[in-house]
Amino acid sequence: MAIGRAPGKVILFGEHAVVYGRPAIAVPVAEVQAEVMVEPGPYRQGILIHAHDLEESFYLDEVGDDHPIRRTVVNTLHRLRVGSPPDLTISIRSTIPIARGLGSGAAVATALIRALVHYFDEYLSSQEISDLTYETEILHHGNPSGIDNTVVAFGKPVYYVRGQKLEIFWVQRPFTLVIGDTGIPSSTREVVEDVRRAWERAPQQYDAWFDEIGRIAQEARWAIERGRIDELGALMDENHRLLQAIGVSCPALDALVQAARQGGALGAKLCGAGRGGNMVALVAEHTAGQVSMMLRLAGARNVILTTVR
Ligand code: PMV
């Protein structure tokens, strides 16, 4: 038997602009995770999948080629040079809400790859696991920037620029985040496509907004590396205003962002694709409880507290 795990994630700065080559910062969220168990058998039956959260069980050859689980298993076995796979039972569980910007698709794929790697007693580097996860992300998102698979597979805060070597950076002073869920599912693929159409209509305007977002991500990295956490809140507020401008916020996200600020957060913004999903607030430790309460009063379905270190 073998087990693989992977954390959720939040994008702290730079979503959407990262698709257009600007830098972004994402951090893992260990409070939620995907867990995959691989066991031998049932014999002479093929590969059986139990997706517990979806309350689904199926054999791998019963689903289409473009099913994310099938694609992940096939790509991983190919990578590990397992020619004719043995009969296996694969159980998938995840506490990461689906389609809420917390990286559930990338985490399930990464956990599955890790479990298979352990099962076959092999080794793949974090970069190789990230690359395999990216192949699955393409099915979910169409044109993913690569930030989700990177932060989830490395499990560390990352400063990410599409097509460039990954930079894992130093967090000088730990800081606390409160993540609030609107309860509204959001399709990353649709929102990213909408932004693409808007960018095609007004490229200069959108490029200027993306440049601003990229500058904010750079400044945020500088502040995090120097332990100047007090500067991050204003940068998050500014990033949220730009995300509103490019058209990816929604009333529910704006309400939670506002509630977090009223509760004493140092700054807040939507995170991930937007139009639903989650928002993230930066808090001083003594205001974390108050901010969480304000988020719940404003309608948050779930609140997660995490520390970045
Ligand atoms: O909604 P999520 O967590 O999958 O975030 C998507 C982030 C985007 O920048 C909007 C898209 C991408 O591929 O980076």
Side-chain angles (χ1 to χ4, degrees), residues 113-163:
I113 296 161
R114 284 195 175 130
L116 288 167
V117 169
H118 291 166
Y119 187 85
F120 290 103
D121 220 2
E122 293 278 352
Y123 171 81
L124 291 181
S125 68
S126 298
Q127 187 60 58
E128 288 170 314
I129 292 172
S130 174
D131 292 345
L132 274 171
T133 302
Y134 183 79
E135 296 302 317
T136 305
E137 285 287 283
I138 292 173
L139 294 176
H140 289 296
H141 293 181
N143 175 28
S145 66
I147 191 167
D148 280 19
N149 48 287
T150 303
V151 64
V152 163
F154 282 82
K156 295 208 165 70
V158 298
Y159 180 83
Y160 182 82
V161 184
R162 195 170 192 166

Side-chain angles (χ1 to χ4, degrees), residues 9-11 14-19 24 99-104 137 141 143-148 160 162 186-188 191-192 271-274:
K9 67 98 223 282
V10 280
I11 299 181
E15 50 273 271
H16 288 291
V18 69
V19 175
R100 305 284 169 80
L102 296 186
S104 93
E137 285 287 283
H141 293 181
N143 175 28
S145 66
I147 191 167
D148 280 19
Y160 182 82
R162 195 170 192 166
S186 141
S187 160
T188 303
V191 185
V192 168
C271 58

